[in-house]
Amino acid sequence: QVQLVESGGGLVQAGGSLRLSCAASGRTFSTYAMGWFRQAPGKDREFVAAISRSGDNTYYADSVKGRFTISRDNAKNTMYLQMNSLKPEDTAVYYCAAGFRYSDTDVRTRQYEYAYWGQGTQVTASS
């Protein structure tokens, strides 16, 4: 079992920045690939960014590429999402997720590839 807890969400003006954290417990953090997803009101949950077990490989949705940065600190059992130049369309509940049985360099973008999910943190970018 893995427990994931997101933090760092909040209200920010368009153009501002936030950093989300995802703290993991229950299993060796470096054994799972990680990802961020988001769900806006009235929309399906969508992929945002992913990072491999080692942290060497990352992948981003086109909508956030160049503005968001995913990272992880395996020594602290924590993953991060630095969000810059936020836009109103980034407003959503952001979820972190953990997936197992992937290689050290795999990045995963599909929800079904992740076995564990956090409860989410609200991010609101006002215009």
Side-chain angles (χ1 to χ4, degrees):
Q1 283 287 346
V2 174
Q3 293 78 44
L4 302 173
V5 179
E6 303 96 336
S7 62
L11 173 64
V12 64
Q13 286 191 332
S17 299
L18 284 174
R19 188 175 83 153
L20 304 184
S21 298
C22 174
S25 61
R27 184 169 170 156
T28 304
F29 185 62
S30 60
T31 63
Y32 29 92
M34 299 292 294
W36 287 98
F37 292 77
R38 67 186 182 186
Q39 187 167 22
K43 295 187 176 181
D44 293 335
R45 189 159 58 183
E46 64 177 6
F47 168 76
V48 175
I51 190 166
S52 62
R53 287 168 47 188
S54 66
D56 289 341
N57 290 341
T58 59
Y59 190 82
Y60 298 91
D62 287 343
S63 59
V64 306
K65 201 173 296 183
R67 300 187 298 121
F68 289 11
T69 302
I70 188 172
S71 63
R72 66 190 294 166
D73 186 337
N74 287 345
K76 295 183 178 180
N77 294 345
T78 304
M79 174 179 68
Y80 305 97
L81 185 68
Q82 177 66 44
M83 305 185 294
N84 298 329
S85 303
L86 280 161
K87 304 175 181 180
E89 51 264 44
D90 294 319
T91 295
V93 177
Y94 283 71
Y95 299 90
C96 67
F100 294 94
R101 291 186 290 276
Y102 299 123
S103 76
D104 193 49
T105 56
D106 271 349
V107 287
R108 297 288 161 173
T109 64
R110 294 177 173 81
Q111 294 183 52
Y112 69 83
E113 295 175 311
Y114 289 89
Y116 298 98
W117 294 80
Q119 293 299 307
T121 185
Q122 176 70 47
V123 170
T124 303
S126 63
S127 57

